Amino acid sequence: MPSGISNILPSVLKARPALQDETTTPQQLKPGIARVTTPEETKIFICKLDDCNRLFPSKERLMAHRKRDHGSGEEGEIISWNL
């Protein structure tokens, strides 16, 4: 980790209330749709702009979120691993 980064990034993200999923149907939850993965094979990008803390599977998705929801194309304040 580059020097100074550990002073910027929190070790624990702020908790927020979860939103209830009102769109998923029982058919979408049937077996075979999901699988168990490991941290080694899962990329995660976390948006830290304005303490957003939303998770994304790719940098492209994170940047689209920032343009849409934050009105910014800024590439700073990203937490990621397994790149």
Side-chain angles (χ1 to χ4, degrees):
M1 184 177 298
S3 65
I5 295 293
S6 62
N7 296 334
I8 297 171
L9 302 176
S11 60
V12 177
L13 300 176
K14 292 181 184 178
R16 292 195 180 160
L19 299 176
Q20 183 173 350
D21 178 3
E22 297 177 352
T23 60
T24 303
T25 65
Q27 293 78 23
Q28 291 172 310
L29 297 175
K30 63 184 175 183
I33 292 179
R35 71 177 184 87
V36 175
T37 186
T38 65
E40 290 77 26
E41 63 181 345
T42 305
K43 296 179 183 178
I44 298 175
F45 295 82
I46 305 171
C47 179
K48 285 299 295 167
L49 283 178
D50 304 323
D51 288 325
C52 176
N53 298 329
R54 287 195 55 194
L55 298 122
F56 297 90
S58 70
K59 187 172 181 182
E60 292 77 23
R61 295 274 303 270
L62 174 120
M63 296 310 292
H65 152 76
R66 286 187 170 193
K67 286 181 182 175
R68 183 187 66 239
D69 296 343
H70 297 291
S72 172
E74 181 182 332
E75 290 200 13
E77 299 190 44
I78 298 173
I79 298 174
S80 63
W81 57 88
N82 294 335
L83 302 179

PDB file of all heavy atoms in Angstrom, residues 56-68:
ATOM      1  N   PHE A  56     -19.407  -1.874  -6.292  1.00  0.00           N
ATOM      2  CA  PHE A  56     -19.566  -2.116  -7.715  1.00  0.00           C
ATOM      3  C   PHE A  56     -18.623  -3.226  -8.162  1.00  0.00           C
ATOM      4  O   PHE A  56     -17.526  -3.364  -7.638  1.00  0.00           O
ATOM      5  CB  PHE A  56     -19.289  -0.836  -8.501  1.00  0.00           C
ATOM      6  CG  PHE A  56     -20.260   0.260  -8.172  1.00  0.00           C
ATOM      7  CD1 PHE A  56     -19.987   1.151  -7.152  1.00  0.00           C
ATOM      8  CD2 PHE A  56     -21.460   0.368  -8.836  1.00  0.00           C
ATOM      9  CE1 PHE A  56     -20.891   2.138  -6.809  1.00  0.00           C
ATOM     10  CE2 PHE A  56     -22.379   1.346  -8.496  1.00  0.00           C
ATOM     11  CZ  PHE A  56     -22.092   2.234  -7.489  1.00  0.00           C
ATOM     12  N   PRO A  57     -19.018  -4.012  -9.182  1.00  0.00           N
ATOM     13  CA  PRO A  57     -18.195  -5.119  -9.653  1.00  0.00           C
ATOM     14  C   PRO A  57     -17.081  -4.709 -10.609  1.00  0.00           C
ATOM     15  O   PRO A  57     -16.205  -5.504 -10.915  1.00  0.00           O
ATOM     16  CB  PRO A  57     -19.206  -6.023 -10.366  1.00  0.00           C
ATOM     17  CG  PRO A  57     -20.233  -5.066 -10.872  1.00  0.00           C
ATOM     18  CD  PRO A  57     -20.327  -3.998  -9.811  1.00  0.00           C
ATOM     19  N   SER A  58     -17.112  -3.464 -11.109  1.00  0.00           N
ATOM     20  CA  SER A  58     -16.072  -3.005 -12.031  1.00  0.00           C
ATOM     21  C   SER A  58     -15.878  -1.508 -11.888  1.00  0.00           C
ATOM     22  O   SER A  58     -16.764  -0.790 -11.410  1.00  0.00           O
ATOM     23  CB  SER A  58     -16.452  -3.323 -13.488  1.00  0.00           C
ATOM     24  OG  SER A  58     -17.538  -2.507 -13.888  1.00  0.00           O
ATOM     25  N   LYS A  59     -14.712  -1.041 -12.325  1.00  0.00           N
ATOM     26  CA  LYS A  59     -14.435   0.398 -12.263  1.00  0.00           C
ATOM     27  C   LYS A  59     -15.364   1.150 -13.215  1.00  0.00           C
ATOM     28  O   LYS A  59     -15.787   2.268 -12.916  1.00  0.00           O
ATOM     29  CB  LYS A  59     -12.978   0.670 -12.620  1.00  0.00           C
ATOM     30  CG  LYS A  59     -12.598   2.107 -12.412  1.00  0.00           C
ATOM     31  CD  LYS A  59     -11.121   2.334 -12.586  1.00  0.00           C
ATOM     32  CE  LYS A  59     -10.776   3.788 -12.348  1.00  0.00           C
ATOM     33  NZ  LYS A  59      -9.347   4.049 -12.548  1.00  0.00           N
ATOM     34  N   GLU A  60     -15.706   0.540 -14.337  1.00  0.00           N
ATOM     35  CA  GLU A  60     -16.608   1.182 -15.296  1.00  0.00           C
ATOM     36  C   GLU A  60     -17.976   1.442 -14.672  1.00  0.00           C
ATOM     37  O   GLU A  60     -18.549   2.516 -14.846  1.00  0.00           O
ATOM     38  CB  GLU A  60     -16.752   0.316 -16.559  1.00  0.00           C
ATOM     39  CG  GLU A  60     -15.500   0.220 -17.392  1.00  0.00           C
ATOM     40  CD  GLU A  60     -14.442  -0.735 -16.824  1.00  0.00           C
ATOM     41  OE1 GLU A  60     -14.795  -1.649 -16.041  1.00  0.00           O
ATOM     42  OE2 GLU A  60     -13.255  -0.540 -17.145  1.00  0.00           O
ATOM     43  N   ARG A  61     -18.501   0.456 -13.940  1.00  0.00           N
ATOM     44  CA  ARG A  61     -19.800   0.636 -13.276  1.00  0.00           C
ATOM     45  C   ARG A  61     -19.717   1.707 -12.201  1.00  0.00           C
ATOM     46  O   ARG A  61     -20.637   2.502 -12.029  1.00  0.00           O
ATOM     47  CB  ARG A  61     -20.268  -0.687 -12.661  1.00  0.00           C
ATOM     48  CG  ARG A  61     -20.566  -1.788 -13.660  1.00  0.00           C
ATOM     49  CD  ARG A  61     -21.973  -1.751 -14.222  1.00  0.00           C
ATOM     50  NE  ARG A  61     -23.014  -1.814 -13.243  1.00  0.00           N
ATOM     51  CZ  ARG A  61     -23.571  -2.927 -12.779  1.00  0.00           C
ATOM     52  NH1 ARG A  61     -23.178  -4.094 -13.227  1.00  0.00           N
ATOM     53  NH2 ARG A  61     -24.535  -2.864 -11.898  1.00  0.00           N
ATOM     54  N   LEU A  62     -18.605   1.729 -11.446  1.00  0.00           N
ATOM     55  CA  LEU A  62     -18.416   2.745 -10.414  1.00  0.00           C
ATOM     56  C   LEU A  62     -18.384   4.141 -11.038  1.00  0.00           C
ATOM     57  O   LEU A  62     -19.030   5.064 -10.542  1.00  0.00           O
ATOM     58  CB  LEU A  62     -17.129   2.491  -9.628  1.00  0.00           C
ATOM     59  CG  LEU A  62     -16.807   3.601  -8.636  1.00  0.00           C
ATOM     60  CD1 LEU A  62     -16.758   3.052  -7.230  1.00  0.00           C
ATOM     61  CD2 LEU A  62     -15.493   4.238  -8.987  1.00  0.00           C
ATOM     62  N   MET A  63     -17.661   4.297 -12.155  1.00  0.00           N
ATOM     63  CA  MET A  63     -17.555   5.608 -12.789  1.00  0.00           C
ATOM     64  C   MET A  63     -18.903   6.054 -13.373  1.00  0.00           C
ATOM     65  O   MET A  63     -19.245   7.231 -13.309  1.00  0.00           O
ATOM     66  CB  MET A  63     -16.463   5.592 -13.861  1.00  0.00           C
ATOM     67  CG  MET A  63     -15.064   5.335 -13.298  1.00  0.00           C
ATOM     68  SD  MET A  63     -14.611   6.374 -11.882  1.00  0.00           S
ATOM     69  CE  MET A  63     -14.505   7.976 -12.650  1.00  0.00           C
ATOM     70  N   ALA A  64     -19.689   5.122 -13.904  1.00  0.00           N
ATOM     71  CA  ALA A  64     -21.031   5.467 -14.401  1.00  0.00           C
ATOM     72  C   ALA A  64     -21.909   5.939 -13.242  1.00  0.00           C
ATOM     73  O   ALA A  64     -22.671   6.910 -13.372  1.00  0.00           O
ATOM     74  CB  ALA A  64     -21.656   4.267 -15.103  1.00  0.00           C
ATOM     75  N   HIS A  65     -21.805   5.262 -12.094  1.00  0.00           N
ATOM     76  CA  HIS A  65     -22.539   5.673 -10.887  1.00  0.00           C
ATOM     77  C   HIS A  65     -22.150   7.088 -10.481  1.00  0.00           C
ATOM     78  O   HIS A  65     -23.005   7.912 -10.170  1.00  0.00           O
ATOM     79  CB  HIS A  65     -22.248   4.687  -9.750  1.00  0.00           C
ATOM     80  CG  HIS A  65     -22.340   5.281  -8.380  1.00  0.00           C
ATOM     81  ND1 HIS A  65     -23.542   5.556  -7.763  1.00  0.00           N
ATOM     82  CD2 HIS A  65     -21.362   5.660  -7.515  1.00  0.00           C
ATOM     83  CE1 HIS A  65     -23.300   6.078  -6.563  1.00  0.00           C
ATOM     84  NE2 HIS A  65     -21.990   6.144  -6.394  1.00  0.00           N
ATOM     85  N   ARG A  66     -20.856   7.368 -10.486  1.00  0.00           N
ATOM     86  CA  ARG A  66     -20.399   8.701 -10.066  1.00  0.00           C
ATOM     87  C   ARG A  66     -20.925   9.792 -10.985  1.00  0.00           C
ATOM     88  O   ARG A  66     -21.321  10.860 -10.514  1.00  0.00           O
ATOM     89  CB  ARG A  66     -18.875   8.739 -10.021  1.00  0.00           C
ATOM     90  CG  ARG A  66     -18.347   7.976  -8.834  1.00  0.00           C
ATOM     91  CD  ARG A  66     -16.884   8.135  -8.691  1.00  0.00           C
ATOM     92  NE  ARG A  66     -16.492   7.573  -7.400  1.00  0.00           N
ATOM     93  CZ  ARG A  66     -15.324   7.761  -6.861  1.00  0.00           C
ATOM     94  NH1 ARG A  66     -14.413   8.476  -7.466  1.00  0.00           N
ATOM     95  NH2 ARG A  66     -15.049   7.231  -5.693  1.00  0.00           N
ATOM     96  N   LYS A  67     -20.919   9.537 -12.280  1.00  0.00           N
ATOM     97  CA  LYS A  67     -21.442  10.544 -13.213  1.00  0.00           C
ATOM     98  C   LYS A  67     -22.930  10.741 -12.996  1.00  0.00           C
ATOM     99  O   LYS A  67     -23.422  11.861 -12.986  1.00  0.00           O
ATOM    100  CB  LYS A  67     -21.160  10.127 -14.652  1.00  0.00           C
ATOM    101  CG  LYS A  67     -19.716  10.301 -15.032  1.00  0.00           C
ATOM    102  CD  LYS A  67     -19.473   9.897 -16.466  1.00  0.00           C
ATOM    103  CE  LYS A  67     -17.987  10.037 -16.783  1.00  0.00           C
ATOM    104  NZ  LYS A  67     -17.671   9.548 -18.130  1.00  0.00           N
ATOM    105  N   ARG A  68     -23.663   9.637 -12.818  1.00  0.00           N
ATOM    106  CA  ARG A  68     -25.119   9.710 -12.674  1.00  0.00           C
ATOM    107  C   ARG A  68     -25.538  10.261 -11.312  1.00  0.00           C
ATOM    108  O   ARG A  68     -26.363  11.167 -11.222  1.00  0.00           O
ATOM    109  CB  ARG A  68     -25.719   8.316 -12.889  1.00  0.00           C
ATOM    110  CG  ARG A  68     -27.238   8.279 -12.829  1.00  0.00           C
ATOM    111  CD  ARG A  68     -27.786   6.862 -12.867  1.00  0.00           C
ATOM    112  NE  ARG A  68     -27.383   6.150 -11.650  1.00  0.00           N
ATOM    113  CZ  ARG A  68     -26.658   5.035 -11.636  1.00  0.00           C
ATOM    114  NH1 ARG A  68     -26.243   4.488 -12.759  1.00  0.00           N
ATOM    115  NH2 ARG A  68     -26.340   4.451 -10.496  1.00  0.00           N
TER     116      ARG A  68
END
